[in-house]
Amino acid sequence: MDEKIIIFDTTLRDGEQAPGASMNHQEKLEVANALANLGVDVIEAGFPISSEGDFDSVKSVAKSVKGPVICGLARAIKKDIDAAYQALKSAQRFRIHVFLATSKIHMKYKLKKAEDEILRLAVESVKYARKFCPDIEFSPEDASRTEKEFLFRVVEEVIKAGASTVNIPDTVGYTYPQEYGSLIRSIKENVQNINKAVISVHCHNDLGLAVANSLEAVNNGARQVECTINGVGERAGNASMEEIVMAINTRKDIFPGVKTGINKKQIYKTSRLVSKLTGFVIAPNKAIVGYNAFRHESGIHQDGVLKERSTYEIIKPEDVGFYGIGLVLGKHSGRHALTERLKTLGFHLEEKQMGKAFARFKELADKKKEIFDDDLVAIVEDEIATVKPLWQLNSFEVASGTGVSPQATVRLKNKGKILTGVSSGDGPVDACFKAADKVIGLKGELLDFRLEAVTRGKDAMGEASLRIKIKERIVFGRGSSTDIIEAALLAYLNGVNKYAF
Ligand code: KIV
Ligand code: ZN
């Protein structure tokens, strides 16, 4: 029987630490539920002591998300461990993850402590955490730059103190596959009690090697991999889950005897959700989940794929839940056809949501001849979003053109009331945002703005994404429509609603 590689997802903790990737409480819950559907084994839901918001998010993930072990991060400090326990205690199964740096550079400059003191704190904190639960993970931060003999001692002592998982982070993304693989092997060979704990790996991508390093570690005995969806994370990010899972799955010859429990068909959908909520756009050439990952442009390749897919395809797109942009439905398609197509795309909507999605589909089909999968996904993602917007667009008009000073009238719905704002601006989009600001009573500073066609054709849905700064907080917003000004306004309101939530 194949041995299972534990997939420890840290999208909600290390991933969310990426500048500008922050998600609100409801969004984190949505991601946690998607991760549970994806079949991850452990969800690191946050760092409870770091803020009240993080504490609350970890608490609600612990309370409502069933299936995976829910984990919370803590420094090797009692009050952090107490906070982690308080946030996690209602989970079916939970884990406390304690970390403390062990490299010379971190001990000297950051912690200003000597080896013996670090060892004592590590052991005491693990013993303390064990009072709350049996599932304790310990991370010697910056392990890949830690003196080996000291690392072996720390790992051995924390296992004695009760750690059931020892994580070996490459915190700064400095290591190289052979080097990291041999570090993992040396831990197996030099730490006497290592068979009492699972060896975990946690790699950052500063040199673009996070996935390669994690995979080499698996081949040298690591049995837990810490990773994030789309590789989001601090600086250059963390190891990308979809790449690790698909490498293990596709190259069984290189990874004999191991498997993951990931439901691969959920990969594409989860990746899109994380991209949508964090605002981190996926590069078209990103492995596994990029828009071009399964597209063949060269005539020779197309010819080969038509004759036999495996000539140029090592993964079937549908295996990761990618069904292409194929022309699917049109004006005359019924509710049953829509339901079936959505099921294929991995969406199971409740009756009421389906009713609304169908109405939106018909509306779109009136404007647009050809409806592609991505159009459907854009509609459905709006309908199933758990964040119910405080401010909704009722209608807008905008006048602009050569030699005309742009003027916008925007009507917004808030708690059943329609409120109107009028403004001029530097362009039609600016005028709309300013009119919306007048209604809402705030001033959002636009930091960046991007507009993309979601599908093909002149009538394609446009997707606007932007970042706005409202009173020192940066929020991300996204909106789609066949009208690009409306898409921009919807994206703006999406951001405002996140702020207001
Ligand atoms: O990169 C790192 O070292 C971490 C630890 C907290 C595990 O994220
Ligand atoms: Zn990290």
Side-chain angles (χ1 to χ4, degrees), residues 100-109 111-124 138 140 145-155 157-158:
L100 180 63
T102 50
S103 65
K104 275 207 161 118
I105 198 161
H106 278 233
M107 290 190 295
K108 180 172 174 195
Y109 296 107
L111 301 171
K112 300 189 181 4
K113 290 191 194 319
E115 282 189 354
D116 283 351
E117 203 180 346
I118 293 290
L119 189 59
R120 180 183 63 77
L121 288 173
V123 168
E124 276 176 11
F138 181 81
R145 294 193 299 170
T146 297
E147 303 286 297
K148 275 200 184 172
E149 288 307 318
F150 183 53
L151 184 64
F152 299 155
R153 261 175 80 202
V154 172
V155 169
E157 292 304 320
V158 294

Side-chain angles (χ1 to χ4, degrees), residues 258-271:
V258 296
K259 61 171 188 198
T260 73
I262 293 297
N263 175 4
K264 295 185 287 302
K265 287 209 184 293
Q266 292 286 322
I267 286 180
Y268 189 69
K269 189 179 149 200
T270 315
S271 153

Side-chain angles (χ1 to χ4, degrees), residues 94-96 129-137 162-165:
F94 66 90
R95 171 182 298 183
I96 299 176
R130 267 305 291 255
K131 294 193 173 137
F132 299 112
C133 81
D135 189 348
I136 305 298
E137 172 166 332
S164 43
T165 301

Side-chain angles (χ1 to χ4, degrees), residues 273-289:
L273 177 74
V274 169
S275 164
K276 176 181 145 189
L277 297 181
T278 57
F280 277 45
V281 177
I282 301 164
N285 60 338
K286 161 87 176 65
I288 317 295
V289 291

Side-chain angles (χ1 to χ4, degrees), residues 10 13-14 17 44 73 97 99 137 139-143 167 169-172 202-204 226 235 238:
T10 183
R13 201 277 300 169
D14 224 355
Q17 258 169 249
E44 187 164 51
L73 184 68
H97 178 186
F99 76 101
E137 172 166 332
S139 286
E141 191 191 5
D142 206 16
N167 185 36
D170 180 31
T171 304
V172 291
H202 176 113
C203 296
H204 281 269
E226 303 199 351
R235 308 182 308 277
N238 288 58

